[in-house]
Amino acid sequence: MLTDLFSPSVQHSLDLAGIFVFAISGALLAVRKNFDVFGMAVLAEVTALGGGLLRDLIIGAVPPAAFTDLGYFLTPLFATLIVFFLHPEVERITKAVGVFDAAGLGLFCVAGTVKAYEHGLGLTFAATLGLATAVGGGVLRDILAHEVPSLLRWDRDLYAVPAMVGSAMAALLIHFESLDGTTIVAPVLTAFVLRLMAMKFHWRAPRAWHRRSAATEEV
């Protein structure tokens, strides 16, 4: 059980940290899209809470934490205010979005895996739901911002794979009864660093084997 692994305060802090960094990435993307402050807040809330809502509905943790904990709702608004007044120069926004998104990816894939395991899912399905927790908010963010989700585009750097690795590492640590407040840093950092390296070196997943189509991607 999750309560056996971490104290309630540690669990809550981990969730809020993931919510905050994902909200930052959502609000920064809204700035890049020239949204107003309301649009920034909406994109921040959806990015931060979308994956967690999906996770909680699937495991039957209802009402979802996003609707029972005021901190979950207010944290994205706080992130929006920070971005509204202190966002980087326009030419640096894309890089900032990527870094914060990678941080949220690492935090949420692990938090989602652990919470799913707490609610009785096997390790394989817990890791799968950890992946969904990590990428769900980003997918909704991109859709609302009128972009094809990075998760689905062959010409974008690896996004889901780092979350898969982080989730799998968390599941393995649970399996070997080695997950605690110290070792949890390993899967979070691994997913975060893998995502950053994918962005830096443009690592991409392969397309269909012996793909012969000359069709280009529609923009």
Side-chain angles (χ1 to χ4, degrees):
M1 298 292 286
L2 183 58
T3 51
D4 297 327
L5 296 171
F6 305 107
S7 68
S9 61
V10 171
Q11 300 165 29
H12 193 253
S13 297
L14 186 62
D15 268 349
L16 289 181
I19 287 170
F20 179 76
V21 294
F22 259 7
I24 289 286
S25 78
L28 282 172
L29 180 58
V31 172
R32 185 161 62 87
K33 288 288 186 176
N34 203 31
F35 289 3
D36 61 18
V37 65
F38 180 76
M40 290 172 62
V42 169
L43 219 55
E45 292 280 357
V46 167
T47 308
L49 302 178
L53 282 170
L54 174 65
R55 174 200 63 205
D56 289 349
L57 290 174
I58 290 176
I59 63 179
V62 291
F67 291 97
T68 60
D69 189 318
L70 189 60
Y72 282 36
F73 176 76
L74 294 180
T75 298
L77 296 182
F78 177 64
T80 299
L81 286 177
I82 292 176
V83 173
F84 182 80
F85 290 108
L86 302 174
H87 67 85
E89 294 83 357
V90 173
E91 64 271 15
R92 297 178 59 188
I93 285 180
T94 299
K95 181 178 179 180
V97 169
V99 173
F100 279 106
D101 188 73
L105 195 75
L107 286 164
F108 268 29
C109 71
V110 175
T113 299
V114 175
K115 186 167 184 179
Y117 177 74
E118 175 198 20
H119 282 76
L121 269 65
L123 291 177
T124 299
F125 296 108
T128 301
L129 197 51
L131 168 64
T133 303
V135 304
V139 169
L140 292 174
R141 174 201 65 205
D142 291 344
I143 291 173
L144 288 177
H146 302 292
E147 293 192 352
V148 176
S150 298
L151 182 71
L152 305 179
R153 297 188 59 166
W154 70 268
D155 62 335
R156 295 299 172 89
D157 306 326
L158 292 178
Y159 188 76
V161 172
M164 290 171 61
V165 172
S167 299
M169 287 181 63
L172 285 173
L173 287 171
I174 294 173
H175 175 71
F176 291 108
E177 300 182 351
S178 300
L179 188 66
D180 56 34
T182 300
T183 60
I184 197 173
V185 175
V188 172
L189 282 181
T190 298
F192 175 62
V193 171
L194 280 177
R195 173 58 180 160
L196 291 184
M197 291 180 68
M199 292 165 58
K200 179 176 177 60
F201 298 108
H202 303 297
W203 294 344
R204 294 169 184 172
R207 288 186 284 173
W209 187 252
H210 290 160
R211 178 178 180 273
R212 297 179 182 276
S213 174
T216 57
E217 179 191 15
E218 294 183 2
V219 178

